[in-house]
Each structure stands twice: as C-alpha cells, then as structure tokens.
Amino acid sequence: VNGSSVRVGLLGCGNVGGALVQLVAQEAPAIAQRTGVSLEVVRIAVRSAAKHADVPAALLTEDAGSVVHDPGVDVIVEVIGGLEPARTLILDALKAGKPVITANKELVASAGADLFAAATAAGVDLLFEAAVGGGIPLIRPLRESLAGERISRVIGIVNGTTNYILTRMTEEGTTYADALAEAQRLGYAEADPTADVEGYDAAAKAAILASIAFGASVVGADVYREGISSVTPGDIAFAERLGYVIKLLAIAERVEGSRAVAVRVHPAMLPSTHPLAAVRDSFNAVFIEGDAVGELMLYGRGAGGMPTASAVLGDLIDAGHNLRSGGSGRSVLPGEAELFPIEDLSSAFYLSIEVADRPGVLAAVAGVFGDHRVSIRSMEQHGMRDEARLVFITHTARERDMQATLDGLRKLDAVDRVGSLIRVVGSD
Amino acid sequence: VNGSSVRVGLLGCGNVGGALVQLVAQEAPAIAQRTGVSLEVVRIAVRSAAKHADVPAALLTEDAGSVVHDPGVDVIVEVIGGLEPARTLILDALKAGKPVITANKELVASAGADLFAAATAAGVDLLFEAAVGGGIPLIRPLRESLAGERISRVIGIVNGTTNYILTRMTEEGTTYADALAEAQRLGYAEADPTADVEGYDAAAKAAILASIAFGASVVGADVYREGISSVTPGDIAFAERLGYVIKLLAIAERVEGSRAVAVRVHPAMLPSTHPLAAVRDSFNAVFIEGDAVGELMLYGRGAGGMPTASAVLGDLIDAGHNLRSGGSGRSVLPGEAELFPIEDLSSAFYLSIEVADRPGVLAAVAGVFGDHRVSIRSMEQHGMRDEARLVFITHTARERDMQATLDGLRKLDAVDRVGSLIRVVGSD
C-alpha cells in the first residue's frame, strides 16, 4: 500500500459500481477518521467509456485487464456480474496478490470453490458480502461471529422480487399475474422474470449460504428448486386461515445423523408468528438456527445500488485494514459436507387438488395417500359447480412418499388437476 | 502464541463462563478445522473453587490476577460482570499485551472509553460482542460491515425481560403485575426487577450502541430513561386499535443539522407493521437505519448462558486469528459526537389522563395543550362512573412542550391522574 491510501480499481460501473463511486467520494474522509483506512477509487473499467459522463473521465478505461495489472491499484472490486470475464479477472487479481471484493452471486455460486482456493493460495482476501442479501451483514456474521457455532439450519427469504409478489398477493388478494405485472411496473421484476420467479436467483444464494454455513460443496445448479408461479390466491387464503403465510424460502440444513446438508428453494407455509413471516415487500432476511446461539435473524434490503454498494464498502474497508495491518482475513476452507437428496427429507405438506364432485371420490383420493403411508392431518372440501376442491395438510411425510402420492393422484380418473404442493416449514 | 494453540484464561465461571467451557471442549476440533484456530481453556479464576465441581479442578484458581499475568495464557475472557475487579483485571491484561474478550455491559457502558484507549495503546483486541444483544451479531456488523455507512438511527429491543412482560400483556391482556410475576416464575425476571423494568439495563446497552454506531462519548448514566412499570392494559389495547404495539425501545439517533446524538430508553408505540413489532417474548433485536444501506434488523436471543457464550466464542476465534496472523482488530477510536438534550427532540405522543366527568373539562384540558403549542391529532373519551378517561394522540411536538403540557394538566382541578405518556416511533 502506497502511503496510507488504499487505491481501488473498479471493474464495472453500473448500478452498484456507480453507487460505490459516489459513496467513496462522499464518505472517504469520515471513513478514514473512523477506521484509519483511506480509500480512493483510482481506475474504473467499463464497457463503453462514452456512456459514463457521471464519473471522472481520467479514471475510465475500457481495458479491465489493465486495471487488474496496474501496480497503482491495491484492491480490485468486481461488479460486472456474470461468469466471464469476471472469473478470469478475479483469478488474475488474486494471483497478482491483490485482494478482491465481488458482488457477483452467479460467479460465487458456480465457481466459488476455485476462487476461494486461489485466494487462500495467494494469502489475500476474497470478500463477497454483497453477493447474498445485498446490504444485509450476512457473510461476515456467518464466517466470523458464528465461527464457533454448530449451525443446524439456515432459512432465507433471499429474493426481493418474489417476496414483493407474495406480499401483494397476501395483503391485497391479487393474483400472481397481477402482482407480477405490478412488480414489473415498479422495477422490482425484470421483463423476463424467470430467474427470480422460478427460484434460480434464490438457488444461487442458497448454494453460497450452504457453503459458508456448512462447508458444503454446492453449486447453484445442485440446489432443488421450485418457483412461485403456481401459487394461487386460494392457497394463500387457506394458509392464512390456518395461521400460516406463504414465502419463497431458501433452506440449507444439516441432516440429523448424517454428514450431509440438504439445500432447496421452494414456496413454503410458515407460521404467521415466525419472524420470517413479518418480512414484507422486497425485503430479505436470513433466519439462522444454531445449537448454542438459538435463533437469529438478519433482515434488510437484499438488492438496490446503494444497499449493495454499502456492503461492498464494508468489505473494502476490511480488505484495506488487513492490507495496512499486515494481517489477512479468514480463508474459506474447502467444505466436506455432501448434498443430501431431497427425496429423503421429511416435512408436512399442503396440497390442493380439483376433483369431480361425485360419491366415492374422497375415498379413492384418501386411499392413494394411505397407499404411500402419507397421513392426512386435516382436509377441507369446497364445491365449485360440478367440481370440488380438496385441500389437505399432511402429517410429517417423506418427500419421496409425497411425490408418489402425487403420481398416484394424477392417475385417478376423478382427479382433474393436482394443484400446488407446498411444504410446511418452521413448526412441528 | 505457543505452537498453534490459543491458550484462554477465563475470569469468572457462572452461567456464561460455564457454557463457554463446555462449548470450547465440545467444538474446539471443529473450530480448528474450519478456522485454523485451536482454542484451549487453560486457567479459570472463580471466587470459590469448591463450588465448581463441573470444571477440571487443575484449571481452577481463586486468584484472578494470577491468570491475567500467567505467561501461559494468551487471551483473557472476562465474564465476572460488574465494575471491579473486572475493570482492573482487564486493564492489566491489556497492558500485558493480551487481547481481552468481555461480556460485561455495565463496565463497557460506564468505562468503555478508558478500556478502548488502553486496548489501542497496547495494540491488542478488546472485543465485547456479548455485551449487547447476547448471541446476536451486532457489534461486529456495526464496527466492520457498516464501517462505511452513515448511520442515522439505531432502535433496539435490548432487554428480554421487559419484552417478555409487554408480549404477555399484549397477547393475553394481563396486567403489568401479573406478567412480571410470571416472568419471575419463569426466571426471565430477577426477584428485584428494577434494573430491567425501569430501563437501567437497556440504558447501558443504548450507551454502548451509541458509542459504536455514532462515536458518541456516552455512558449509561447519561441516557434518558423511563421503564415500563406504568404501562397499562388499557394503553396497550388503545395502541392496538390504532395499529400500534408498545415496546420498550433503546434509541440512539443522529440529530439533523447538528453533530449531536440523542440517546434514550422509554416505552414507545411502534406501527404493528414495523419489523420490531414482530419481536416477541424474550427475544431482542436492533433496527438500524443508514443512508446507503436503508433499513437493517438483527434479531436473536439477547441473554442466556449458551447464546452469550456463542458470542464470546466468536470473539475468541477472532482474537485467536489476529494473534496467529499477526494482524490486529479494529480500534474503537474516541468519539466526538455530543449528547443532544432530550427536551429538544420531537415526536408524536400518546397520553392518557383521568378527569372528572363534568361539562367544560375537555375545553380546559384542550386549552392546556394549546397553551403549549401541542396540536391534538385524535382524542377518545371513555366514561368510568363519575370519571372519564381521555386518551390523546398528538401531532409531532417538542418534548419540552409536551412536558410543560403535562405540568399544566396536573395543575387542573378536574384532572385526577395523568397516566402514561408514550412516544410514537417509527412512523411519519
């Protein structure tokens, strides 16, 4: 480090990068006074310099590699997103002995193990607080505050778009389609919302949480995943009558009597008294259960330029402190926990099916549950013209048995439609 | 550090110390594998060794000073509590170049500035995650994750006893006295509950939060403080009808257009949609508002042997990591922010008064509000035999003007009793 100033090279200057440039310009004196770390953004790599009239032209370059290799740059911040060229740039920076801060969840979720190994080999920091939960302090508490804790389960609301949609459906009774359209109008959902509403974004974050909390070697594509597009206002209303809310949850949990970790993303019914039930609109939260610490929840803005830049800035000060003090941050050591197959998990289930409204149908349906040893805790029947909707809550059952029950139900003539299957989480 | 093992000297072995000894014995191998830090408790100072059959006798001593000065001890954990001898022992340890972990909120709240200065002078860690919010990661996120953040307000539910009592009163309609008795029966409240119910415990924690979040030089005794003993079921029911819950809040906030920080503890009406409103029973949570990060909340168990020991353990691993890597933790630099007088703060107020039920009384009462420029937003009147209870919510008013209004009301013949004054927080 040259003098006492930490010289930052920024790769990418979109929503998050632009906010970071602004924050550093505004807060650097206060940060230096508070922490002794002076930050200065000295180079910024962008795709097209002409489009960035908002930042000093002298800092801009279209050659990201030149920033990584510039001897006048001490620390690299990567906010380009996506797999390449981000991955290669980060690996090059680490090899050059430069700490890296990244907000790139896709990359950390898919290539985290390689990146962590490169950082450990180089003995420099690779920090990624902003990759999960935006501005929420999450990765540092998990890696540091809870370093001595035997964590049993992590349950997250880690996608703001789907939480916004489910909140509108719950509080205003709107349909999924209407709530999605509203989210798109407000800029909470993309024109193509697939990555959010089908749970891909949450699955990437679940993989990162599982690797940090449990040392599991999990990539996003390994995570069992269901989205929210088939959740209906009827499901939500029924859940509410029973004292539940429906949330899209990312769950990573240690499996009793095994070294394995189960990781999954799906809509779930959560008791309305559960702290996660009060997480509304586009907010995120992660609920952590540990043997000694009990229950914890970390809540905040999971996205947005400023909140995400705030998390990047915290990491940057950390890396700067370590550069100045000659210390190093914590390594992320390669994990050994294996992935547990979802078919062997157990939970209670909510299921809604539509059937022909004629005698004997309920007996046939109940028979299918019984054949697969799934025990029914409660049932409600609602007439709809010549059909009926049957809504079930089961006792705790194995996923494998419940899926077999669904297959069996689909084969019954009297069953017109098998609707939502929603797992019940956080009670029992 | 001798070899790679970090040798821990423990001062005090009560609830938290005992849990820590057990946690280290149980988790040390997993911690070493995960973090590279091997922990070993090598000496334990207690008042009476004969009373600690649960820990290895060879580790016990009744001479705490000998543990501090033992060259075979690398790190000191202080869980004695209270001011002396804890203060002197910690200062001695820091002077001897040993990092110190403490869970002692009274001491940090009253003598924090001296302790931090001694740690900075010695260049060693003084960590105190467990002093506020028990197992909740709070101090580290504030000091590190949010090191770059301009925090505007911190609102905490930091006392589990009072939150338990208010939760029972809210959910079951019980009186304060009955809820307190239940809390005492369950061990959530002491036989003499004053420190909890009158807000002294919360005030100490508010002082620590204010010094970490704002660099304010505040000790516990400086904090404006009201307890919950005068909150009635009627107040709670009225709040509920208006969409509020009543919580005992510790609030530290930057005052607009000033370098000062206001710090106070009092019962407050909070909108029922506020994330803190869902914090039930003996749980704690701290809600943080920052310019860039927006709203954050950190939630968990604020007390108890195991949760508190978990926080101490996280600090211990941190100190051990710094000892091994040759780095140092963050210093707490002396703060410059001044304390803002509560009389100059503004908020909306809830006030309940009992008056003689006769003509002209309301006009007289309203006149007192008007004389002090306090504007009434809504009023309800409830008859009770020959008395009436008047319940007011004001528009935003200055504390000074509201206190003058109370004085004026007490002087009116027709006013029999001035009941609860409760500030409205978290809306407008």
Side-chain angles (χ1 to χ4, degrees):
Chain A
V1 183
N2 183 358
S4 69
S5 172
V6 174
R7 298 165 303 179
V8 179
L10 181 60
L11 310 181
C13 195
N15 204 10
V16 176
L20 183 69
V21 170
Q22 189 186 326
L23 269 184
V24 171
Q26 192 179 296
E27 298 296 330
I31 292 168
Q33 204 216 325
R34 252 191 329 255
T35 68
V37 175
S38 291
L39 295 173
E40 193 186 351
V41 177
V42 296
R43 298 203 58 196
I44 305 174
V46 294
R47 201 172 303 169
S48 166
K51 290 184 186 157
H52 291 270
D54 48 326
V55 290
L59 305 188
L60 289 173
T61 173
E62 294 176 3
D63 177 4
S66 76
V67 175
V68 168
H69 295 290
D70 186 335
V73 167
D74 303 310
V75 182
I76 294 294
V77 173
E78 184 274 309
V79 287
I80 306 172
L83 300 189
E84 288 293 353
R87 185 179 151 279
T88 302
L89 290 165
I90 290 175
L91 288 172
D92 286 353
L94 294 170
K95 275 178 211 143
K98 296 182 186 182
V100 174
I101 322 296
T102 177
N104 191 329
K105 67 170 174 290
E106 299 95 324
L107 183 60
V108 176
S110 67
D114 291 350
L115 301 179
F116 300 145
T120 302
V124 296
D125 287 329
L126 171 63
L127 302 174
F128 52 99
E129 182 65 80
V132 184
I136 308 171
L138 196 52
I139 304 296
R140 182 172 287 99
L142 277 170
R143 290 178 67 186
E144 303 189 5
S145 308
L146 300 175
E149 184 69 27
R150 184 169 296 266
I151 296 172
S152 50
R153 182 151 73 158
V154 176
I155 309 181
I157 294 174
V158 291
N159 180 273
T161 306
T162 47
N163 203 51
Y164 181 83
I165 292 171
L166 291 172
T167 302
R168 292 281 74 71
M169 291 177 71
T170 302
E171 298 187 357
E172 285 143 33
T174 48
T175 63
Y176 167 76
D178 287 350
L180 170 61
E182 189 188 341
Q184 286 172 320
R185 205 165 49 241
L186 292 169
Y188 290 151
E190 312 266 339
D192 175 359
T194 310
D196 291 318
V197 300
E198 297 305 342
Y200 292 96
D201 173 82
K205 292 163 176 170
I208 298 174
L209 289 174
S211 55
I212 299 308
F214 300 107
S217 301
V218 189
V219 299
D222 292 338
V223 174
Y224 177 86
R225 181 195 50 72
E226 290 175 20
I228 64 163
S229 55
S230 67
V231 175
T232 68
D235 299 333
I236 288 175
F238 181 82
E240 190 172 1
R241 276 210 307 287
L242 295 181
Y244 291 93
V245 297
I246 295 180
K247 294 288 189 187
L248 182 69
L249 300 183
I251 305 175
E253 60 191 321
R254 202 181 283 281
V255 178
E256 291 273 345
S258 137
R259 292 177 56 86
V261 174
V263 192
R264 53 205 165 104
V265 168
H266 53 62
M269 283 175 46
L270 202 62
S272 58
T273 52
H274 193 285
L276 284 170
V279 177
R280 300 167 63 248
D281 294 335
S282 64
F283 279 94
N284 281 201
V286 173
F287 189 81
I288 300 164
E289 300 169 20
D291 285 1
V293 82
E295 300 179 346
L296 289 178
M297 188 172 80
L298 311 172
Y299 164 100
R301 286 265 169 226
M306 274 295 173
T308 308
S310 171
V312 170
L313 186 54
D315 278 352
L316 204 41
I317 295 167
D318 206 10
H321 174 83
N322 288 335
L323 277 178
R324 287 192 77 223
S325 73
S328 72
R330 313 285 182 89
S331 299
V332 179
L333 301 175
E336 294 191 345
E338 281 169 22
L339 209 55
F340 189 82
I342 182 154
E343 301 79 42
D344 293 330
L345 286 178
S346 293
S347 71
F349 293 87
Y350 157 91
L351 177 68
S352 126
I353 61 176
E354 284 159 30
V355 298
D357 193 4
R358 60 176 192 246
V361 168
L362 181 57
V365 165
V368 173
F369 279 85
D371 289 346
H372 298 286
R373 295 165 309 278
V374 175
S375 158
I376 295 169
R377 193 171 79 194
S378 68
M379 193 277 292
E380 275 188 25
Q381 176 161 348
H382 303 275
M384 323 184 295
R385 297 166 187 263
D386 54 347
E387 279 196 325
R389 179 186 291 137
L390 302 180
V391 175
F392 298 90
I393 300 267
T394 72
H395 284 117
T396 298
R398 282 207 312 169
E399 187 79 33
R400 182 189 302 284
D401 297 332
M402 194 64 214
Q403 295 296 347
T405 304
L406 292 192
D407 289 344
L409 291 172
R410 287 195 190 97
K411 284 180 197 144
L412 284 187
D413 272 353
V415 171
D416 296 326
R417 203 178 81 86
V418 173
S420 312
L421 175 75
I422 301 181
R423 293 157 191 88
V424 181
V425 167
S427 54
D428 73 353
Chain B
V1 182
N2 181 0
S4 68
S5 172
V6 174
R7 297 165 304 179
V8 179
L10 181 61
L11 310 181
C13 195
N15 203 9
V16 176
L20 183 69
V21 170
Q22 189 186 325
L23 268 184
V24 170
Q26 194 178 293
E27 299 295 329
I31 292 167
Q33 204 216 323
R34 254 193 325 256
T35 67
V37 175
S38 290
L39 296 173
E40 192 186 351
V41 177
V42 296
R43 298 201 60 194
I44 305 174
V46 294
R47 200 171 302 168
S48 167
K51 290 184 188 159
H52 290 271
D54 49 325
V55 291
L59 305 188
L60 289 173
T61 173
E62 294 176 3
D63 178 4
S66 77
V67 175
V68 168
H69 294 291
D70 186 335
V73 167
D74 303 310
V75 182
I76 294 292
V77 172
E78 184 273 309
V79 287
I80 306 173
L83 299 189
E84 287 294 351
R87 185 179 151 279
T88 302
L89 290 166
I90 291 175
L91 288 171
D92 285 353
L94 294 170
K95 275 178 211 142
K98 296 184 185 182
V100 174
I101 322 296
T102 177
N104 191 329
K105 66 171 176 288
E106 298 95 325
L107 182 60
V108 176
S110 68
D114 291 350
L115 300 179
F116 300 144
T120 302
V124 296
D125 287 329
L126 172 63
L127 304 174
F128 51 99
E129 181 66 78
V132 184
I136 308 173
L138 196 52
I139 305 296
R140 183 173 286 102
L142 277 170
R143 290 177 67 186
E144 303 189 5
S145 308
L146 300 175
E149 184 70 27
R150 184 169 296 268
I151 296 172
S152 51
R153 182 151 74 157
V154 175
I155 310 181
I157 294 174
V158 291
N159 180 272
T161 307
T162 47
N163 203 51
Y164 181 83
I165 291 171
L166 291 172
T167 302
R168 290 283 73 73
M169 292 176 71
T170 302
E171 298 186 358
E172 285 143 33
T174 48
T175 63
Y176 167 75
D178 286 349
L180 170 60
E182 190 189 340
Q184 286 171 319
R185 205 164 51 239
L186 292 169
Y188 289 152
E190 313 265 342
D192 175 358
T194 310
D196 291 318
V197 300
E198 297 304 343
Y200 292 96
D201 173 82
K205 292 165 178 171
I208 298 174
L209 289 174
S211 55
I212 299 306
F214 300 107
S217 301
V218 188
V219 300
D222 291 339
V223 175
Y224 177 85
R225 182 195 49 72
E226 290 176 19
I228 64 162
S229 54
S230 66
V231 175
T232 67
D235 299 332
I236 288 176
F238 182 80
E240 190 173 1
R241 275 209 307 287
L242 295 181
Y244 291 94
V245 296
I246 295 181
K247 295 287 188 187
L248 181 69
L249 299 183
I251 304 176
E253 60 191 320
R254 202 181 283 282
V255 178
E256 291 273 344
S258 136
R259 293 177 56 86
V261 175
V263 192
R264 53 205 165 104
V265 168
H266 54 62
M269 284 176 44
L270 201 61
S272 58
T273 52
H274 194 286
L276 284 170
V279 177
R280 301 167 62 247
D281 294 334
S282 64
F283 279 93
N284 280 202
V286 173
F287 190 81
I288 300 164
E289 299 169 21
D291 285 0
V293 81
E295 300 178 347
L296 288 178
M297 187 173 80
L298 310 172
Y299 164 101
R301 287 263 168 227
M306 274 293 173
T308 308
S310 172
V312 170
L313 186 55
D315 279 353
L316 204 42
I317 294 167
D318 207 9
H321 174 83
N322 289 336
L323 277 179
R324 286 192 79 221
S325 74
S328 72
R330 313 286 183 87
S331 298
V332 179
L333 301 175
E336 297 192 342
E338 282 170 22
L339 209 54
F340 190 83
I342 182 153
E343 302 78 41
D344 293 329
L345 286 178
S346 292
S347 70
F349 294 87
Y350 158 93
L351 176 68
S352 128
I353 61 176
E354 285 160 30
V355 298
D357 192 5
R358 60 177 192 247
V361 169
L362 182 56
V365 165
V368 174
F369 278 85
D371 289 346
H372 299 286
R373 297 165 307 280
V374 175
S375 157
I376 296 169
R377 193 172 78 194
S378 69
M379 192 278 290
E380 277 187 23
Q381 176 161 347
H382 303 274
M384 324 183 295
R385 296 164 188 264
D386 54 346
E387 280 197 324
R389 179 186 291 138
L390 302 180
V391 175
F392 298 91
I393 299 267
T394 73
H395 284 117
T396 297
R398 281 208 312 170
E399 187 80 32
R400 182 189 303 283
D401 296 331
M402 194 65 216
Q403 295 295 348
T405 304
L406 291 192
D407 289 343
L409 291 173
R410 287 195 190 97
K411 284 180 196 142
L412 285 187
D413 272 351
V415 171
D416 296 324
R417 203 177 81 86
V418 173
S420 313
L421 175 74
I422 301 181
R423 293 157 190 89
V424 180
V425 168
S427 53
D428 72 355

